[in-house]
């Protein structure tokens, strides 16, 4: 174990010296841990009023002043990270001179890789962006609306595979992506299998039912498209709330779907005024029903798919850092300490 | 079948603790052998239970908190038995078996139904992530046991429990050895988790409580390895760090799931 000599402190005095000392590094290490834990104990990203209500006027304001509501992206947390990175950099630079064997090279590489991961995450924070979008099956979305100009995404199909127990096994969207240069990419996106193109990555995130119908009036029909569970405001303070039942069970008559498949699609419609539930009717597809004074037609349904669209140049850097880290770990821990005889290793 | 193997493992672990304690009170070669073989058989039963579960579910037992808790106990027993190669101590066997008993008892209160893999878990990264976590946590469990032994030995070098223990320097170096095994694997848990999170959620790091506490665990053991060189923190201080580190491991695994909601929380 002659690693010890690599940790001997640098020459000289002042800030640079203390910044490059391992004692400072150790303090920073534990400080970062302590601060990170705070971020998991204090709820992040809530409304301003939440903190005042939860922690009292004084403590709440204090937490907000120091950005404890967005701790991991606050200036002082990032500064702490930068100082830590400088510490690792200075420490490693001194040790590079003293690298004598694969083992000590591995250790330096390991430290250096942390810097690469850190740089990658800063790059992600500055240049990366991601946005969520819901697209109905057969529709095309212009991705410039969510910040990715030049891209158009068409969802050709969406399907769910089930286990025997009707628990979902996989969600898959079949898509066509068109970029600004006119390149067409046809692919399937499922959970754990995102679509990766040169610039964009698109992830399967969620899904749901979209229903289509009409309010029938004397002066003509008012069409609607509602996501399952949504409400529609009608005239006179009335609210229409819908629930899609894909596999309605006429025997029990309750709103619990027998299976998740659209074997017997029905739309349950509730008419609400203020707090009061006026009436509920269940309409089969293609039918029309009167609820109080409102006549509703249930025309059709389709899936929508929820996709996360992302562009993040930092990820490649981070992965590069991971690769170096693995290489460093292998050199550091898989090579025997210098001076060990082979017989000892076998033992 | 699985339940039978688990019950057998549980009983054998109790027998391990009892025989080790009797041995400490009245040393006898037969008791020494018995306590080792009880522990080894408990390990075999636990392995069989896990194999049985894999056969019944048609996949490796990596997908629920129940399954991971039993794997966790399995990993700790594995390292306790592995250490027999370095030295044998009945106190270590007893403490390790007791740790496994507590973890298995907690595991038994969790829902044990066999569930198919949900979409997020259908990834090759599940295997790498969980296997590295078992090894890292097993090694950290061992270093915690050694930390406890160290404190016992330091308090009572030549009387009572301390009498049967190897010298403190030996305990310290073996404790360092087990942290030095756990640490690279913990690094791998973080890397495989991050790559997986990038594939499944589209974010390699999102400060989810489980991730955050995994990072804190990693920082603590990094602190253990570095303070040894900088401050010369060996022995007592290192022993306390190994114990604290493992308490944080337990919090990351159980506390976070119970107390801090997040994307990981059903784990
Ligand atoms: C203390 C460390 C950790 C342990 C013991 C741990 C354990 C596990 C286990 C047992 C699973 C398996 C599946 C399950 O039961 O849900 C899992 C899933 C997962 N872990 Fe970890 N993990 C740790 C840290 C991390 C970190 C640091 C990350 C990311 C940076 C991460 C990312 C993931 C992802 C993405 C999944 C799967 C998807 C999901 O749960 O929805 N894990 N983890």
């Amino acid at each position: 174990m002659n690693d010890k000599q690599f940790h001997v402190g640098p020459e000289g005095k002042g800030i640079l010296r203390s910044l490059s000392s391992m004692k400072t590094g150790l303090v920073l290490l534990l400080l970062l841990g302590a601060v990170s834990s705070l971020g998991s104990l204090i709820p992040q990203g809530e409304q301003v009023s939440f903190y005042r209500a939860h922690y009292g006027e004084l403590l709440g304001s204090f937490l907000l002043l120091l950005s404890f509501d967005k701790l991991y992206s606050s200036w002082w947390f990032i500064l702490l990270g930068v100082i830590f990175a400088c510490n690792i950099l200075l420490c490693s630079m001194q040790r590079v001179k003293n690298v004598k064997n694969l083992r000590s090279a591995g250790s330096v590489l390991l430290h250096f890789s942390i810097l690469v991961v850190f740089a990658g995450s800063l790059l992600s924070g500055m240049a990366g962006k991601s946005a969520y979008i819901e697209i109905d099956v057969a529709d095309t979305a212009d991705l410039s609306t969510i910040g990715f100009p030049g891209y158009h995404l068409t969802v050709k199909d969406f399907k769910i595979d089930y286990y025997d127990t009707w628990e979902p096994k996989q969600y898959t969207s079949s898509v066509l992506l068109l970029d600004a240069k006119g390149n067409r990419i046809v692919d399937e996106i499922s959970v754990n299998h995102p679509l990766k193109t040169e610039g964009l990555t698109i992830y399967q995130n969620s899904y749901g039912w979209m229903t289509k119908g009409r309010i029938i009036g004397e002066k003509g029909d008012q069409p609607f498209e509602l996501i399952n569970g949504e409400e529609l405001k009608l005239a006179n303070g009335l609210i229409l709330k819908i629930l899609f039942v894909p596999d309605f069970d006429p025997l029990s008559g309750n709103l619990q779907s027998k299976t998740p498949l659209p074997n017997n699609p029905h739309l349950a419609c509730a008419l609400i005024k203020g707090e009061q539930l006026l009436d509920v009717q269940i309409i089969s597809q293609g039918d029309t029903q009167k609820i109080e004074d409102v006549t509703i037609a249930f025309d059709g349904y389709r899936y929508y798919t929820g996709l996360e669209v992302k562009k993040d140049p930092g990820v490649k850097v981070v992965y590069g850092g991971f690769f170096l880290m693995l290489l460093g770990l292998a050199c550091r821990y898989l090579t025997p300490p210098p001076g060990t005889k082979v017989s000892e290793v076998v033992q | 079948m699985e339940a039978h193997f688990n019950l057998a493992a549980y009983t054998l672990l109790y027998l391990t603790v009892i025989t080790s304690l009797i041995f400490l009170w009245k040393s006898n070669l037969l008791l020494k052998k018995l306590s080792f073989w009880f522990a080894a058989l408990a390990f075999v039963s636990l392995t069989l239970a896990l194999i049985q579960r894999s056969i019944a579910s048609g996949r490796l037992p990596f997908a629920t908190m129940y399954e991971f808790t039993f794997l966790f106990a399995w990993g700790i027993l594995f390292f306790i038995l592995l250490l027999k190669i370095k030295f044998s101590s009945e106190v270590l066997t007893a403490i390790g078996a007791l740790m496994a008993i507590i973890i298995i008892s907690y595991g038994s209160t969790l829902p044990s139904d066999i569930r198919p893999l949900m979409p997020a878990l259908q990834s090759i990264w599940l295997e790498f992530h969980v296997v590295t976590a078992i090894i890292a946590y097993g090694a950290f469990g061992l270093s915690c046991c050694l930390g406890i032994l160290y404190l016992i030995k330091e308090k009572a070098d030549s009387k009572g429990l301390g009498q049967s223990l190897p010298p403190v320097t030996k305990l310290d170096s073996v404790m360092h050895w087990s942290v030095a095994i756990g640490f690279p694997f913990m690094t791998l848990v973080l890397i495989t988790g991050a790559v997986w999170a990038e594939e499944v959620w589209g974010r390699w790091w999102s400060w989810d409580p489980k991730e955050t506490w995994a990072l804190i665990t990693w920082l603590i053991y990094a602190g253990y390895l570095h303070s040894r060189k900088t401050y010369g923190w060996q022995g007592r201080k290192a022993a306390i760090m190994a114990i604290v580190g493992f308490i944080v491991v337990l919090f990351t695994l159980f506390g976070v799931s119970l107390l801090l909601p997040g994307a990981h929380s059903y784990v």
Side-chain angles (χ1 to χ4, degrees):
Chain A
M1 283 279 179
N2 61 0
D3 282 2
K4 222 174 190 137
Q5 69 201 68
F6 296 118
H7 290 280
V8 174
E11 309 299 320
K13 282 209 172 72
I15 290 191
L16 205 64
R17 189 202 152 100
S18 58
L19 195 58
S20 59
S21 95
M22 217 165 82
K23 291 195 179 182
T24 311
L26 210 60
V27 171
L28 286 169
L29 195 81
L30 297 180
L31 200 60
L32 271 173
V35 174
S36 305
S37 76
L38 285 180
S40 77
L41 303 175
I42 300 169
Q44 297 289 298
E46 301 283 341
Q47 300 275 317
V48 167
S49 54
F50 170 87
Y51 297 93
R52 299 234 164 85
H54 219 87
Y55 296 98
E57 197 61 40
L58 195 68
L59 183 59
S61 306
F62 177 74
L63 291 178
L64 286 167
L65 188 70
L66 290 182
S67 309
F68 270 94
D69 58 328
K70 297 188 282 283
L71 192 149
Y72 302 115
S73 53
S74 70
W75 65 269
W76 58 270
F77 186 74
I78 294 174
L79 182 66
L80 203 60
V82 171
I83 296 174
F84 186 52
C86 291
N87 175 264
I88 295 179
L89 181 66
L90 292 174
C91 267
S92 307
M93 271 168 25
Q94 273 148 21
R95 295 172 56 206
V96 168
K97 298 178 227 146
N98 296 326
V99 165
K100 289 206 178 65
N101 50 36
L102 202 55
R103 212 171 138 85
S104 55
S107 173
V108 171
L109 192 57
L110 202 54
H111 288 80
F112 182 68
S113 70
I114 297 174
L115 297 176
V116 179
V117 172
F118 184 71
S121 59
L122 287 183
L123 187 59
S124 282
M126 289 185 295
K129 62 179 167 187
S130 87
Y132 173 73
I133 188 167
E134 287 173 353
I135 309 174
D136 300 343
V137 169
D139 277 4
T140 298
D142 177 359
L143 298 188
S144 66
T145 56
I146 55 167
F148 298 93
Y151 290 99
H152 290 264
L153 186 64
T154 306
V155 175
K156 296 197 294 187
D157 197 11
F158 176 80
K159 70 170 197 292
I160 306 177
D161 294 325
Y162 294 98
Y163 290 105
D164 300 340
T165 54
W166 293 118
E167 282 171 284
K169 188 176 192 173
Q170 186 55 279
Y171 318 118
T172 312
S173 305
S174 305
V175 298
L176 166 67
L177 182 70
L178 214 66
D179 70 12
K181 290 183 217 120
N183 295 323
R184 293 160 53 92
I185 297 166
V186 179
D187 206 349
E188 295 200 325
I189 304 175
S190 57
V191 179
N192 271 309
H193 304 281
L195 164 63
K196 291 179 190 165
T197 72
E198 235 169 84
L200 286 192
T201 316
I202 306 178
Y203 300 85
Q204 183 66 53
N205 184 311
S206 72
Y207 70 95
W209 290 106
M210 188 76 173
T211 58
K212 197 172 163 188
R214 280 165 298 138
I215 315 277
I216 296 174
E218 283 149 21
K219 283 176 261 156
D221 297 353
Q222 178 198 344
F224 65 79
E225 274 206 278
L226 287 177
I227 283 180
N228 187 21
E230 264 186 349
E231 315 181 324
L232 182 68
K233 286 206 173 67
L234 307 177
N236 307 329
L238 288 175
I239 290 172
L240 171 70
K241 200 173 163 86
I242 57 127
L243 176 72
F244 180 62
V245 187
D247 194 357
F248 179 66
D249 183 358
L251 288 177
S252 75
N254 69 30
L255 298 181
Q256 190 78 47
S257 191
K258 266 200 298 187
T259 69
L261 305 181
N263 291 332
N264 187 16
H266 279 65
L267 192 69
C269 297
L271 208 59
I272 300 166
K273 184 160 194 167
E275 299 277 281
Q276 200 187 351
L277 179 66
L278 301 179
D279 194 12
V280 181
Q281 289 292 337
I282 299 166
I283 315 171
S284 67
Q285 194 196 350
D287 260 5
T288 305
Q289 286 254 6
K290 209 165 149 119
I291 314 175
E292 297 274 291
D293 295 332
V294 185
T295 310
I296 296 172
F298 171 33
D299 294 329
Y301 59 89
R302 54 181 167 163
Y303 275 120
Y304 69 83
T305 180
L307 302 170
E308 187 80 26
V309 184
K310 192 174 96 147
K311 187 174 214 153
D312 186 352
V315 173
K316 280 208 180 86
V317 180
V318 170
Y319 278 20
F322 286 166
F323 177 74
L324 293 179
M325 201 178 276
L326 292 178
L327 208 63
L329 279 177
C331 295
R332 173 66 181 78
Y333 288 97
L334 297 183
T335 48
T340 320
K341 291 193 199 72
V342 177
S343 60
E344 282 176 61
V345 178
V346 172
Q347 221 183 28
Chain B
M1 253 330 231
E2 186 200 342
H4 290 116
F5 285 131
N6 277 336
L7 187 65
Y10 200 67
T11 316
L12 285 161
L13 285 172
Y14 266 108
L15 290 173
T16 309
V17 175
I18 292 166
T19 42
S20 325
L21 291 181
I22 299 176
F23 172 83
L24 289 171
W25 171 60
K26 216 172 172 58
S27 70
N28 165 318
L29 196 62
L30 179 68
L31 283 171
K32 191 182 167 79
K33 283 208 162 122
L34 267 181
S35 99
F36 173 74
W37 282 108
F38 282 144
L41 282 175
F43 178 74
V44 171
S45 303
L46 211 50
T47 311
L48 290 174
L50 288 163
I51 290 175
Q52 179 65 36
R53 193 174 179 88
S54 308
I55 293 170
S57 60
R59 54 167 176 76
L60 290 167
F62 288 0
T64 62
M65 192 63 194
Y66 173 86
E67 291 168 0
F68 191 74
T69 307
F70 279 79
L71 285 170
F72 183 30
W74 184 91
I76 290 173
L77 277 181
F78 173 80
F79 273 96
I80 295 280
L81 291 171
L82 184 72
L83 202 71
K84 282 271 164 192
I85 301 166
K86 289 219 174 221
F87 67 79
S88 92
S89 153
E90 275 51 54
V91 196
L92 178 67
T93 317
I95 291 179
L98 206 59
M99 199 180 249
I101 288 174
I102 294 169
I103 294 169
I104 291 177
S105 305
Y106 174 71
S108 308
T109 66
L110 297 168
S112 67
D113 47 328
I114 290 178
R115 312 198 44 188
L117 287 184
M118 50 176 290
L121 296 184
Q122 284 177 40
S123 166
I124 180 71
W125 295 106
L126 172 71
E127 272 88 43
F128 290 123
H129 191 58
V130 175
V131 167
T132 48
I134 298 165
I135 300 174
Y137 280 11
F140 291 153
L142 173 63
S143 51
C144 172
C145 291
L146 289 163
I148 296 170
L149 293 196
Y150 185 98
L151 296 182
I152 293 175
K153 180 72 180 177
E154 200 190 43
K155 260 231 145 60
D157 187 8
S158 54
K159 38 182 207 294
L161 285 182
Q163 218 172 2
S164 71
L165 289 172
V168 281
T169 46
K170 170 100 185 171
L171 287 170
D172 182 67
S173 80
V174 182
M175 181 165 64
H176 180 249
W177 171 81
S178 68
V179 172
I181 290 181
F183 183 74
F185 281 99
M186 189 67 208
T187 314
L188 287 173
V189 175
L190 292 176
I191 294 180
T192 53
V195 174
W196 189 4
E198 178 67 24
E199 290 292 300
V200 67
W201 299 327
R203 294 188 73 176
W204 65 273
W205 192 268
S206 46
W207 295 105
D208 164 90
K210 195 132 231 162
E211 285 169 20
T212 307
W213 280 92
L215 179 67
I216 294 169
T217 309
W218 188 81
L219 290 171
I220 289 178
Y221 286 104
Y224 174 102
L225 294 170
H226 286 86
S227 63
R228 195 179 176 84
K229 282 175 183 159
T230 324
Y231 289 101
W233 277 18
Q234 306 200 348
R236 185 186 173 76
K237 285 177 180 144
I240 291 171
M241 266 185 118
I243 295 170
V244 170
F246 192 65
I247 292 172
V248 174
V249 164
L250 292 175
F251 183 77
T252 306
L253 195 54
F254 302 120
V256 170
S257 303
L258 292 174
L259 304 174
L260 305 172
H264 234 106
S265 58
Y266 64 90
V267 172

